Amino acid sequence: QVQLVESGGGLVQAGGSLRLSCAASTRTFSNYAMGWFRQAPGNEREFVAAISRFQRITRYADSVKGRFSIARDNAKNTLFLQMNNLKPEDTAVYYCAASQDSSATTSSAARYDYWGQGTQVTVSS
């Protein structure tokens, strides 16, 4: 019912920045809480950031606090992740996700209903 397409990944040196985008194909984008997750080879998928329907609440993993910022533009059906001061440990495939549960912003992947196919972020040291 909701298709999500990530873009903006690439190769960047440590200390650099990237801005990821997630385009949602839905007429009811504002009905969904949104989140970013990432997964490195051999690792479990981990929570990165989440945002409520109208940007009243944001949540970040401790590993990215102060460096990453999540935002959304409901008029354009787009979710963003601004990543600054990137570290090699940030290297992973980054996934956009949408949750039908609009009552709260969650870090649990199980609470998200729709997922994009990911965009690769590689940070060199």
Side-chain angles (χ1 to χ4, degrees):
Q1 295 178 358
V2 179
Q3 186 173 10
L4 305 172
V5 181
E6 303 94 337
S7 62
L11 176 64
V12 64
Q13 292 185 337
S17 299
L18 283 174
R19 182 173 181 259
L20 305 184
S21 298
C22 172
S25 61
T26 175
R27 296 174 297 175
T28 56
F29 182 64
S30 63
N31 287 357
Y32 299 89
M34 301 295 296
W36 287 99
F37 292 76
R38 67 187 183 186
Q39 187 169 22
N43 288 50
E44 299 291 325
R45 186 168 299 187
E46 66 173 339
F47 169 76
V48 176
I51 189 166
S52 61
R53 295 170 61 199
F54 300 106
Q55 304 196 74
R56 292 174 296 183
I57 302 171
T58 56
R59 183 176 178 180
Y60 298 92
D62 289 342
S63 59
V64 306
K65 285 181 180 177
R67 299 189 298 120
F68 291 11
S69 297
I70 189 171
R72 65 192 295 165
D73 187 339
N74 287 344
K76 294 181 171 61
N77 281 17
T78 305
L79 175 73
F80 303 99
L81 183 67
Q82 178 66 47
M83 305 185 294
N84 298 322
N85 191 24
L86 283 161
K87 303 176 180 180
E89 303 92 278
D90 297 317
T91 295
V93 176
Y94 283 71
Y95 297 90
C96 170
S99 174
Q100 294 178 315
D101 183 2
S102 60
S103 64
T105 302
T106 181
S107 62
S108 175
R111 294 184 181 273
Y112 289 83
D113 305 286
Y114 304 99
W115 296 81
Q117 292 190 307
T119 184
Q120 177 71 49
V121 172
T122 302
V123 184
S124 62
S125 60

